[in-house]
Amino acid sequence: MSGFGPDMPAFCQLAPDVRRLVAPNPSMMTGPGTNTYLFGVNEVAVLDPGPVIDSHLQNIQTTAAAPVRWILVTHTHPDHSPGAARLAEMTGAELLGIEAPDAFHQDQTFKPDRVISDGERIAIDGKVLEAIHTPGHASNHLCYRHTELNWVFTGDHVIDGSTVVINPPDGNMKHYIESLQKLNALHCTALAPGHGDIIDDPERVITWIIEHRLEREAKVLLALQEHPRLTALELVPHVYKDVDQKLYGWAERSLLAHLLKLEGDGEAAATDERWTAQ
């Protein structure tokens, strides 16, 4: 889980009624690019159309080869949802998801026609997608389970080849770990992430992520005990010794998420943004 793998093909038929397109927005944070999934044959639902890239949106329509009836998003970060409004204009499809929170790095152009609730089901060509509310990476994050395949389409809740940034205040480490446990309890057969390739050993990967986050939390608590009265940024070199310094800015955001979880658990406290163990 240390880094993204090689580039993936731009198109892949994953199942008779499931196709994947990779948006041309590769980067350090998005890996090969944002995965867009198409469900259905005679009528189509599109999940995570990605950023507004005209060639990609046109490719979605061409690949669908049938009316696009629904556009769903996992969450409203700018590499996942901005293309939704444009694609809806192009197709007349219904926008489904949870509105963007009033927070940094959110796509405020996403205005769902219908807000999706945890456990809600959408039938597409007789196949069912079930929404699973998984806050943590983002407060409005949804995964979707294809009930026949028992695959979960995870957006940024779980991605292939890397861990995700939990960026407070909208990102919440306690909620993230709880949502991972919720996902693990589904015993799904595969994870289809928002970045990277299919994960065919879900329980092992999810369990590893939970353990990794809790191990990191223990390092944060130890660092607080050994180096009290430091800011989150000052704590980064003590906690993220395995991380390249050029990533310290992002590491500080996840470290702050750990600190806030520890504060909620009564194990840490801050005065003037300087933290101590309790």
PDB file of all heavy atoms in Angstrom, residues 172-208:
ATOM      1  N   ASN A 172     -12.466  12.950   8.979  1.00  0.00           N
ATOM      2  CA  ASN A 172     -12.584  12.581  10.390  1.00  0.00           C
ATOM      3  C   ASN A 172     -12.048  11.165  10.577  1.00  0.00           C
ATOM      4  O   ASN A 172     -12.599  10.210  10.025  1.00  0.00           O
ATOM      5  CB  ASN A 172     -14.057  12.669  10.812  1.00  0.00           C
ATOM      6  CG  ASN A 172     -14.277  12.399  12.279  1.00  0.00           C
ATOM      7  OD1 ASN A 172     -14.029  11.303  12.777  1.00  0.00           O
ATOM      8  ND2 ASN A 172     -14.769  13.403  12.992  1.00  0.00           N
ATOM      9  N   MET A 173     -10.954  11.031  11.347  1.00  0.00           N
ATOM     10  CA  MET A 173     -10.299   9.731  11.496  1.00  0.00           C
ATOM     11  C   MET A 173     -11.176   8.719  12.226  1.00  0.00           C
ATOM     12  O   MET A 173     -11.208   7.541  11.851  1.00  0.00           O
ATOM     13  CB  MET A 173      -8.972   9.896  12.223  1.00  0.00           C
ATOM     14  CG  MET A 173      -8.102   8.639  12.210  1.00  0.00           C
ATOM     15  SD  MET A 173      -7.553   8.152  10.546  1.00  0.00           S
ATOM     16  CE  MET A 173      -6.351   9.446  10.190  1.00  0.00           C
ATOM     17  N   LYS A 174     -11.873   9.150  13.266  1.00  0.00           N
ATOM     18  CA  LYS A 174     -12.748   8.224  13.997  1.00  0.00           C
ATOM     19  C   LYS A 174     -13.827   7.674  13.068  1.00  0.00           C
ATOM     20  O   LYS A 174     -14.064   6.467  13.021  1.00  0.00           O
ATOM     21  CB  LYS A 174     -13.386   8.935  15.192  1.00  0.00           C
ATOM     22  CG  LYS A 174     -14.373   8.071  15.979  1.00  0.00           C
ATOM     23  CD  LYS A 174     -14.924   8.841  17.178  1.00  0.00           C
ATOM     24  CE  LYS A 174     -16.028   8.070  17.897  1.00  0.00           C
ATOM     25  NZ  LYS A 174     -15.530   6.785  18.445  1.00  0.00           N
ATOM     26  N   HIS A 175     -14.459   8.559  12.316  1.00  0.00           N
ATOM     27  CA  HIS A 175     -15.491   8.125  11.371  1.00  0.00           C
ATOM     28  C   HIS A 175     -14.896   7.226  10.287  1.00  0.00           C
ATOM     29  O   HIS A 175     -15.548   6.270   9.841  1.00  0.00           O
ATOM     30  CB  HIS A 175     -16.167   9.339  10.734  1.00  0.00           C
ATOM     31  CG  HIS A 175     -16.962  10.159  11.685  1.00  0.00           C
ATOM     32  ND1 HIS A 175     -17.438  11.416  11.374  1.00  0.00           N
ATOM     33  CD2 HIS A 175     -17.372   9.918  12.959  1.00  0.00           C
ATOM     34  CE1 HIS A 175     -18.097  11.913  12.409  1.00  0.00           C
ATOM     35  NE2 HIS A 175     -18.064  11.017  13.381  1.00  0.00           N
ATOM     36  N   TYR A 176     -13.665   7.534   9.860  1.00  0.00           N
ATOM     37  CA  TYR A 176     -13.030   6.743   8.814  1.00  0.00           C
ATOM     38  C   TYR A 176     -12.818   5.298   9.265  1.00  0.00           C
ATOM     39  O   TYR A 176     -13.161   4.351   8.549  1.00  0.00           O
ATOM     40  CB  TYR A 176     -11.698   7.381   8.419  1.00  0.00           C
ATOM     41  CG  TYR A 176     -10.979   6.653   7.318  1.00  0.00           C
ATOM     42  CD1 TYR A 176     -11.541   6.522   6.050  1.00  0.00           C
ATOM     43  CD2 TYR A 176      -9.726   6.089   7.537  1.00  0.00           C
ATOM     44  CE1 TYR A 176     -10.883   5.855   5.037  1.00  0.00           C
ATOM     45  CE2 TYR A 176      -9.057   5.426   6.522  1.00  0.00           C
ATOM     46  CZ  TYR A 176      -9.641   5.303   5.275  1.00  0.00           C
ATOM     47  OH  TYR A 176      -8.980   4.631   4.272  1.00  0.00           O
ATOM     48  N   ILE A 177     -12.275   5.120  10.450  1.00  0.00           N
ATOM     49  CA  ILE A 177     -12.034   3.764  10.948  1.00  0.00           C
ATOM     50  C   ILE A 177     -13.354   3.027  11.157  1.00  0.00           C
ATOM     51  O   ILE A 177     -13.485   1.844  10.807  1.00  0.00           O
ATOM     52  CB  ILE A 177     -11.195   3.811  12.238  1.00  0.00           C
ATOM     53  CG1 ILE A 177      -9.765   4.305  11.905  1.00  0.00           C
ATOM     54  CG2 ILE A 177     -11.137   2.441  12.915  1.00  0.00           C
ATOM     55  CD1 ILE A 177      -8.898   4.568  13.112  1.00  0.00           C
ATOM     56  N   GLU A 178     -14.347   3.717  11.681  1.00  0.00           N
ATOM     57  CA  GLU A 178     -15.662   3.092  11.856  1.00  0.00           C
ATOM     58  C   GLU A 178     -16.257   2.678  10.513  1.00  0.00           C
ATOM     59  O   GLU A 178     -16.877   1.610  10.404  1.00  0.00           O
ATOM     60  CB  GLU A 178     -16.603   4.045  12.587  1.00  0.00           C
ATOM     61  CG  GLU A 178     -16.238   4.261  14.051  1.00  0.00           C
ATOM     62  CD  GLU A 178     -17.059   5.356  14.711  1.00  0.00           C
ATOM     63  OE1 GLU A 178     -17.732   6.138  13.993  1.00  0.00           O
ATOM     64  OE2 GLU A 178     -17.015   5.464  15.954  1.00  0.00           O
ATOM     65  N   SER A 179     -16.071   3.502   9.490  1.00  0.00           N
ATOM     66  CA  SER A 179     -16.596   3.175   8.169  1.00  0.00           C
ATOM     67  C   SER A 179     -15.853   2.003   7.546  1.00  0.00           C
ATOM     68  O   SER A 179     -16.448   1.189   6.830  1.00  0.00           O
ATOM     69  CB  SER A 179     -16.512   4.402   7.250  1.00  0.00           C
ATOM     70  OG  SER A 179     -17.369   5.430   7.680  1.00  0.00           O
ATOM     71  N   LEU A 180     -14.552   1.894   7.801  1.00  0.00           N
ATOM     72  CA  LEU A 180     -13.800   0.733   7.334  1.00  0.00           C
ATOM     73  C   LEU A 180     -14.318  -0.546   7.988  1.00  0.00           C
ATOM     74  O   LEU A 180     -14.467  -1.587   7.326  1.00  0.00           O
ATOM     75  CB  LEU A 180     -12.314   0.910   7.642  1.00  0.00           C
ATOM     76  CG  LEU A 180     -11.548   1.908   6.784  1.00  0.00           C
ATOM     77  CD1 LEU A 180     -10.178   2.173   7.379  1.00  0.00           C
ATOM     78  CD2 LEU A 180     -11.410   1.424   5.341  1.00  0.00           C
ATOM     79  N   GLN A 181     -14.596  -0.478   9.277  1.00  0.00           N
ATOM     80  CA  GLN A 181     -15.145  -1.646   9.977  1.00  0.00           C
ATOM     81  C   GLN A 181     -16.518  -2.017   9.420  1.00  0.00           C
ATOM     82  O   GLN A 181     -16.845  -3.200   9.265  1.00  0.00           O
ATOM     83  CB  GLN A 181     -15.216  -1.358  11.475  1.00  0.00           C
ATOM     84  CG  GLN A 181     -13.843  -1.223  12.123  1.00  0.00           C
ATOM     85  CD  GLN A 181     -13.867  -0.619  13.508  1.00  0.00           C
ATOM     86  OE1 GLN A 181     -14.800   0.107  13.866  1.00  0.00           O
ATOM     87  NE2 GLN A 181     -12.838  -0.884  14.305  1.00  0.00           N
ATOM     88  N   LYS A 182     -17.310  -1.015   9.099  1.00  0.00           N
ATOM     89  CA  LYS A 182     -18.628  -1.237   8.495  1.00  0.00           C
ATOM     90  C   LYS A 182     -18.484  -1.946   7.152  1.00  0.00           C
ATOM     91  O   LYS A 182     -19.226  -2.883   6.848  1.00  0.00           O
ATOM     92  CB  LYS A 182     -19.326   0.118   8.328  1.00  0.00           C
ATOM     93  CG  LYS A 182     -20.689   0.082   7.664  1.00  0.00           C
ATOM     94  CD  LYS A 182     -21.248   1.498   7.572  1.00  0.00           C
ATOM     95  CE  LYS A 182     -22.615   1.556   6.949  1.00  0.00           C
ATOM     96  NZ  LYS A 182     -23.143   2.959   6.909  1.00  0.00           N
ATOM     97  N   LEU A 183     -17.512  -1.505   6.356  1.00  0.00           N
ATOM     98  CA  LEU A 183     -17.287  -2.121   5.051  1.00  0.00           C
ATOM     99  C   LEU A 183     -16.789  -3.554   5.195  1.00  0.00           C
ATOM    100  O   LEU A 183     -17.224  -4.458   4.458  1.00  0.00           O
ATOM    101  CB  LEU A 183     -16.267  -1.286   4.269  1.00  0.00           C
ATOM    102  CG  LEU A 183     -16.277  -1.398   2.752  1.00  0.00           C
ATOM    103  CD1 LEU A 183     -17.589  -0.940   2.180  1.00  0.00           C
ATOM    104  CD2 LEU A 183     -15.121  -0.593   2.166  1.00  0.00           C
ATOM    105  N   ASN A 184     -15.908  -3.788   6.138  1.00  0.00           N
ATOM    106  CA  ASN A 184     -15.370  -5.135   6.336  1.00  0.00           C
ATOM    107  C   ASN A 184     -16.461  -6.126   6.720  1.00  0.00           C
ATOM    108  O   ASN A 184     -16.403  -7.306   6.364  1.00  0.00           O
ATOM    109  CB  ASN A 184     -14.281  -5.107   7.412  1.00  0.00           C
ATOM    110  CG  ASN A 184     -13.059  -5.906   7.019  1.00  0.00           C
ATOM    111  OD1 ASN A 184     -12.945  -6.375   5.896  1.00  0.00           O
ATOM    112  ND2 ASN A 184     -12.124  -6.052   7.949  1.00  0.00           N
ATOM    113  N   ALA A 185     -17.471  -5.643   7.449  1.00  0.00           N
ATOM    114  CA  ALA A 185     -18.560  -6.520   7.895  1.00  0.00           C
ATOM    115  C   ALA A 185     -19.438  -6.999   6.738  1.00  0.00           C
ATOM    116  O   ALA A 185     -20.217  -7.941   6.910  1.00  0.00           O
ATOM    117  CB  ALA A 185     -19.419  -5.797   8.926  1.00  0.00           C
ATOM    118  N   LEU A 186     -19.301  -6.393   5.552  1.00  0.00           N
ATOM    119  CA  LEU A 186     -20.106  -6.802   4.394  1.00  0.00           C
ATOM    120  C   LEU A 186     -19.564  -8.064   3.739  1.00  0.00           C
ATOM    121  O   LEU A 186     -20.266  -8.701   2.950  1.00  0.00           O
ATOM    122  CB  LEU A 186     -20.146  -5.674   3.361  1.00  0.00           C
ATOM    123  CG  LEU A 186     -20.827  -4.376   3.794  1.00  0.00           C
ATOM    124  CD1 LEU A 186     -20.671  -3.316   2.714  1.00  0.00           C
ATOM    125  CD2 LEU A 186     -22.295  -4.614   4.105  1.00  0.00           C
ATOM    126  N   HIS A 187     -18.305  -8.408   3.995  1.00  0.00           N
ATOM    127  CA  HIS A 187     -17.675  -9.602   3.415  1.00  0.00           C
ATOM    128  C   HIS A 187     -17.825  -9.621   1.893  1.00  0.00           C
ATOM    129  O   HIS A 187     -18.205 -10.638   1.300  1.00  0.00           O
ATOM    130  CB  HIS A 187     -18.254 -10.880   4.030  1.00  0.00           C
ATOM    131  CG  HIS A 187     -18.134 -10.927   5.523  1.00  0.00           C
ATOM    132  ND1 HIS A 187     -16.928 -11.016   6.180  1.00  0.00           N
ATOM    133  CD2 HIS A 187     -19.090 -10.875   6.491  1.00  0.00           C
ATOM    134  CE1 HIS A 187     -17.133 -11.021   7.490  1.00  0.00           C
ATOM    135  NE2 HIS A 187     -18.431 -10.932   7.702  1.00  0.00           N
ATOM    136  N   CYS A 188     -17.520  -8.487   1.259  1.00  0.00           N
ATOM    137  CA  CYS A 188     -17.637  -8.411  -0.190  1.00  0.00           C
ATOM    138  C   CYS A 188     -16.506  -9.192  -0.861  1.00  0.00           C
ATOM    139  O   CYS A 188     -15.487  -9.517  -0.236  1.00  0.00           O
ATOM    140  CB  CYS A 188     -17.633  -6.956  -0.644  1.00  0.00           C
ATOM    141  SG  CYS A 188     -16.201  -6.014  -0.105  1.00  0.00           S
ATOM    142  N   THR A 189     -16.691  -9.493  -2.132  1.00  0.00           N
ATOM    143  CA  THR A 189     -15.725 -10.329  -2.849  1.00  0.00           C
ATOM    144  C   THR A 189     -14.643  -9.521  -3.563  1.00  0.00           C
ATOM    145  O   THR A 189     -13.592 -10.064  -3.914  1.00  0.00           O
ATOM    146  CB  THR A 189     -16.437 -11.225  -3.872  1.00  0.00           C
ATOM    147  OG1 THR A 189     -17.215 -10.404  -4.750  1.00  0.00           O
ATOM    148  CG2 THR A 189     -17.356 -12.218  -3.160  1.00  0.00           C
ATOM    149  N   ALA A 190     -14.894  -8.215  -3.794  1.00  0.00           N
ATOM    150  CA  ALA A 190     -13.887  -7.364  -4.428  1.00  0.00           C
ATOM    151  C   ALA A 190     -14.217  -5.908  -4.130  1.00  0.00           C
ATOM    152  O   ALA A 190     -15.368  -5.552  -3.857  1.00  0.00           O
ATOM    153  CB  ALA A 190     -13.835  -7.594  -5.935  1.00  0.00           C
ATOM    154  N   LEU A 191     -13.177  -5.083  -4.196  1.00  0.00           N
ATOM    155  CA  LEU A 191     -13.331  -3.639  -4.080  1.00  0.00           C
ATOM    156  C   LEU A 191     -12.928  -3.019  -5.412  1.00  0.00           C
ATOM    157  O   LEU A 191     -11.884  -3.361  -5.969  1.00  0.00           O
ATOM    158  CB  LEU A 191     -12.440  -3.073  -2.969  1.00  0.00           C
ATOM    159  CG  LEU A 191     -12.610  -3.651  -1.567  1.00  0.00           C
ATOM    160  CD1 LEU A 191     -11.581  -3.047  -0.620  1.00  0.00           C
ATOM    161  CD2 LEU A 191     -14.020  -3.431  -1.044  1.00  0.00           C
ATOM    162  N   ALA A 192     -13.763  -2.115  -5.897  1.00  0.00           N
ATOM    163  CA  ALA A 192     -13.465  -1.375  -7.124  1.00  0.00           C
ATOM    164  C   ALA A 192     -13.224   0.075  -6.723  1.00  0.00           C
ATOM    165  O   ALA A 192     -14.176   0.822  -6.475  1.00  0.00           O
ATOM    166  CB  ALA A 192     -14.620  -1.496  -8.110  1.00  0.00           C
ATOM    167  N   PRO A 193     -11.966   0.501  -6.627  1.00  0.00           N
ATOM    168  CA  PRO A 193     -11.656   1.805  -6.036  1.00  0.00           C
ATOM    169  C   PRO A 193     -11.785   2.955  -7.020  1.00  0.00           C
ATOM    170  O   PRO A 193     -11.863   2.765  -8.239  1.00  0.00           O
ATOM    171  CB  PRO A 193     -10.200   1.626  -5.590  1.00  0.00           C
ATOM    172  CG  PRO A 193      -9.637   0.670  -6.592  1.00  0.00           C
ATOM    173  CD  PRO A 193     -10.756  -0.280  -6.926  1.00  0.00           C
ATOM    174  N   GLY A 194     -11.760   4.164  -6.471  1.00  0.00           N
ATOM    175  CA  GLY A 194     -11.798   5.365  -7.284  1.00  0.00           C
ATOM    176  C   GLY A 194     -10.487   5.654  -7.987  1.00  0.00           C
ATOM    177  O   GLY A 194     -10.452   6.446  -8.928  1.00  0.00           O
ATOM    178  N   HIS A 195      -9.403   5.017  -7.540  1.00  0.00           N
ATOM    179  CA  HIS A 195      -8.086   5.156  -8.169  1.00  0.00           C
ATOM    180  C   HIS A 195      -7.397   3.803  -8.080  1.00  0.00           C
ATOM    181  O   HIS A 195      -7.372   3.179  -7.017  1.00  0.00           O
ATOM    182  CB  HIS A 195      -7.244   6.224  -7.469  1.00  0.00           C
ATOM    183  CG  HIS A 195      -7.912   7.560  -7.381  1.00  0.00           C
ATOM    184  ND1 HIS A 195      -7.959   8.450  -8.427  1.00  0.00           N
ATOM    185  CD2 HIS A 195      -8.589   8.146  -6.369  1.00  0.00           C
ATOM    186  CE1 HIS A 195      -8.627   9.528  -8.056  1.00  0.00           C
ATOM    187  NE2 HIS A 195      -9.018   9.371  -6.813  1.00  0.00           N
ATOM    188  N   GLY A 196      -6.838   3.351  -9.184  1.00  0.00           N
ATOM    189  CA  GLY A 196      -6.135   2.079  -9.182  1.00  0.00           C
ATOM    190  C   GLY A 196      -7.021   0.921  -9.591  1.00  0.00           C
ATOM    191  O   GLY A 196      -8.190   1.089  -9.974  1.00  0.00           O
ATOM    192  N   ASP A 197      -6.467  -0.282  -9.478  1.00  0.00           N
ATOM    193  CA  ASP A 197      -7.112  -1.479 -10.024  1.00  0.00           C
ATOM    194  C   ASP A 197      -7.989  -2.176  -8.983  1.00  0.00           C
ATOM    195  O   ASP A 197      -8.004  -1.821  -7.801  1.00  0.00           O
ATOM    196  CB  ASP A 197      -6.049  -2.441 -10.543  1.00  0.00           C
ATOM    197  CG  ASP A 197      -6.494  -3.171 -11.803  1.00  0.00           C
ATOM    198  OD1 ASP A 197      -7.715  -3.254 -12.033  1.00  0.00           O
ATOM    199  OD2 ASP A 197      -5.623  -3.649 -12.546  1.00  0.00           O
ATOM    200  N   ILE A 198      -8.704  -3.207  -9.443  1.00  0.00           N
ATOM    201  CA  ILE A 198      -9.590  -3.995  -8.586  1.00  0.00           C
ATOM    202  C   ILE A 198      -8.781  -4.645  -7.458  1.00  0.00           C
ATOM    203  O   ILE A 198      -7.673  -5.144  -7.671  1.00  0.00           O
ATOM    204  CB  ILE A 198     -10.300  -5.091  -9.414  1.00  0.00           C
ATOM    205  CG1 ILE A 198     -11.203  -4.456 -10.480  1.00  0.00           C
ATOM    206  CG2 ILE A 198     -11.111  -6.015  -8.513  1.00  0.00           C
ATOM    207  CD1 ILE A 198     -12.349  -3.663  -9.926  1.00  0.00           C
ATOM    208  N   ILE A 199      -9.349  -4.640  -6.258  1.00  0.00           N
ATOM    209  CA  ILE A 199      -8.744  -5.274  -5.085  1.00  0.00           C
ATOM    210  C   ILE A 199      -9.528  -6.545  -4.804  1.00  0.00           C
ATOM    211  O   ILE A 199     -10.717  -6.494  -4.478  1.00  0.00           O
ATOM    212  CB  ILE A 199      -8.798  -4.319  -3.876  1.00  0.00           C
ATOM    213  CG1 ILE A 199      -7.983  -3.047  -4.167  1.00  0.00           C
ATOM    214  CG2 ILE A 199      -8.297  -5.006  -2.610  1.00  0.00           C
ATOM    215  CD1 ILE A 199      -8.205  -1.927  -3.172  1.00  0.00           C
ATOM    216  N   ASP A 200      -8.868  -7.703  -4.970  1.00  0.00           N
ATOM    217  CA  ASP A 200      -9.607  -8.967  -4.892  1.00  0.00           C
ATOM    218  C   ASP A 200      -9.465  -9.678  -3.545  1.00  0.00           C
ATOM    219  O   ASP A 200      -9.940 -10.807  -3.383  1.00  0.00           O
ATOM    220  CB  ASP A 200      -9.205  -9.917  -6.026  1.00  0.00           C
ATOM    221  CG  ASP A 200      -7.714 -10.233  -6.033  1.00  0.00           C
ATOM    222  OD1 ASP A 200      -7.018  -9.882  -5.047  1.00  0.00           O
ATOM    223  OD2 ASP A 200      -7.239 -10.825  -7.013  1.00  0.00           O
ATOM    224  N   ASP A 201      -8.837  -9.006  -2.568  1.00  0.00           N
ATOM    225  CA  ASP A 201      -8.750  -9.567  -1.213  1.00  0.00           C
ATOM    226  C   ASP A 201      -9.194  -8.499  -0.207  1.00  0.00           C
ATOM    227  O   ASP A 201      -8.396  -8.027   0.602  1.00  0.00           O
ATOM    228  CB  ASP A 201      -7.349 -10.077  -0.901  1.00  0.00           C
ATOM    229  CG  ASP A 201      -6.247  -9.067  -1.225  1.00  0.00           C
ATOM    230  OD1 ASP A 201      -6.573  -8.001  -1.796  1.00  0.00           O
ATOM    231  OD2 ASP A 201      -5.081  -9.333  -0.889  1.00  0.00           O
ATOM    232  N   PRO A 202     -10.475  -8.116  -0.262  1.00  0.00           N
ATOM    233  CA  PRO A 202     -10.954  -6.953   0.490  1.00  0.00           C
ATOM    234  C   PRO A 202     -10.705  -7.011   1.990  1.00  0.00           C
ATOM    235  O   PRO A 202     -10.252  -6.018   2.585  1.00  0.00           O
ATOM    236  CB  PRO A 202     -12.457  -6.931   0.195  1.00  0.00           C
ATOM    237  CG  PRO A 202     -12.613  -7.666  -1.077  1.00  0.00           C
ATOM    238  CD  PRO A 202     -11.549  -8.713  -1.065  1.00  0.00           C
ATOM    239  N   GLU A 203     -11.002  -8.128   2.619  1.00  0.00           N
ATOM    240  CA  GLU A 203     -10.897  -8.184   4.075  1.00  0.00           C
ATOM    241  C   GLU A 203      -9.451  -8.017   4.530  1.00  0.00           C
ATOM    242  O   GLU A 203      -9.182  -7.336   5.524  1.00  0.00           O
ATOM    243  CB  GLU A 203     -11.522  -9.477   4.609  1.00  0.00           C
ATOM    244  CG  GLU A 203     -13.036  -9.508   4.409  1.00  0.00           C
ATOM    245  CD  GLU A 203     -13.706 -10.686   5.086  1.00  0.00           C
ATOM    246  OE1 GLU A 203     -13.316 -11.021   6.222  1.00  0.00           O
ATOM    247  OE2 GLU A 203     -14.621 -11.269   4.479  1.00  0.00           O
ATOM    248  N   ARG A 204      -8.517  -8.603   3.802  1.00  0.00           N
ATOM    249  CA  ARG A 204      -7.104  -8.441   4.167  1.00  0.00           C
ATOM    250  C   ARG A 204      -6.686  -6.985   4.034  1.00  0.00           C
ATOM    251  O   ARG A 204      -6.029  -6.424   4.928  1.00  0.00           O
ATOM    252  CB  ARG A 204      -6.209  -9.317   3.276  1.00  0.00           C
ATOM    253  CG  ARG A 204      -4.718  -9.237   3.657  1.00  0.00           C
ATOM    254  CD  ARG A 204      -3.822  -9.869   2.612  1.00  0.00           C
ATOM    255  NE  ARG A 204      -3.829  -9.117   1.364  1.00  0.00           N
ATOM    256  CZ  ARG A 204      -3.117  -7.996   1.154  1.00  0.00           C
ATOM    257  NH1 ARG A 204      -2.356  -7.499   2.119  1.00  0.00           N
ATOM    258  NH2 ARG A 204      -3.163  -7.386  -0.011  1.00  0.00           N
ATOM    259  N   VAL A 205      -7.073  -6.347   2.940  1.00  0.00           N
ATOM    260  CA  VAL A 205      -6.664  -4.962   2.691  1.00  0.00           C
ATOM    261  C   VAL A 205      -7.308  -4.018   3.703  1.00  0.00           C
ATOM    262  O   VAL A 205      -6.638  -3.144   4.275  1.00  0.00           O
ATOM    263  CB  VAL A 205      -7.018  -4.556   1.244  1.00  0.00           C
ATOM    264  CG1 VAL A 205      -6.845  -3.047   1.054  1.00  0.00           C
ATOM    265  CG2 VAL A 205      -6.142  -5.319   0.255  1.00  0.00           C
ATOM    266  N   ILE A 206      -8.603  -4.188   3.948  1.00  0.00           N
ATOM    267  CA  ILE A 206      -9.291  -3.298   4.886  1.00  0.00           C
ATOM    268  C   ILE A 206      -8.722  -3.482   6.290  1.00  0.00           C
ATOM    269  O   ILE A 206      -8.488  -2.504   7.021  1.00  0.00           O
ATOM    270  CB  ILE A 206     -10.801  -3.535   4.870  1.00  0.00           C
ATOM    271  CG1 ILE A 206     -11.378  -3.143   3.503  1.00  0.00           C
ATOM    272  CG2 ILE A 206     -11.493  -2.729   5.974  1.00  0.00           C
ATOM    273  CD1 ILE A 206     -12.825  -3.575   3.299  1.00  0.00           C
ATOM    274  N   THR A 207      -8.484  -4.728   6.683  1.00  0.00           N
ATOM    275  CA  THR A 207      -7.910  -4.999   8.002  1.00  0.00           C
ATOM    276  C   THR A 207      -6.533  -4.358   8.119  1.00  0.00           C
ATOM    277  O   THR A 207      -6.192  -3.761   9.152  1.00  0.00           O
ATOM    278  CB  THR A 207      -7.821  -6.512   8.252  1.00  0.00           C
ATOM    279  OG1 THR A 207      -9.142  -7.068   8.223  1.00  0.00           O
ATOM    280  CG2 THR A 207      -7.180  -6.806   9.602  1.00  0.00           C
ATOM    281  N   TRP A 208      -5.726  -4.440   7.047  1.00  0.00           N
ATOM    282  CA  TRP A 208      -4.398  -3.816   7.051  1.00  0.00           C
ATOM    283  C   TRP A 208      -4.516  -2.313   7.242  1.00  0.00           C
ATOM    284  O   TRP A 208      -3.741  -1.709   8.017  1.00  0.00           O
ATOM    285  CB  TRP A 208      -3.656  -4.117   5.757  1.00  0.00           C
ATOM    286  CG  TRP A 208      -2.289  -3.490   5.724  1.00  0.00           C
ATOM    287  CD1 TRP A 208      -1.125  -4.030   6.174  1.00  0.00           C
ATOM    288  CD2 TRP A 208      -1.959  -2.167   5.257  1.00  0.00           C
ATOM    289  NE1 TRP A 208      -0.089  -3.147   6.012  1.00  0.00           N
ATOM    290  CE2 TRP A 208      -0.570  -1.996   5.456  1.00  0.00           C
ATOM    291  CE3 TRP A 208      -2.695  -1.128   4.698  1.00  0.00           C
ATOM    292  CZ2 TRP A 208       0.094  -0.819   5.100  1.00  0.00           C
ATOM    293  CZ3 TRP A 208      -2.037   0.054   4.349  1.00  0.00           C
ATOM    294  CH2 TRP A 208      -0.659   0.199   4.546  1.00  0.00           C
TER     295      TRP A 208
END
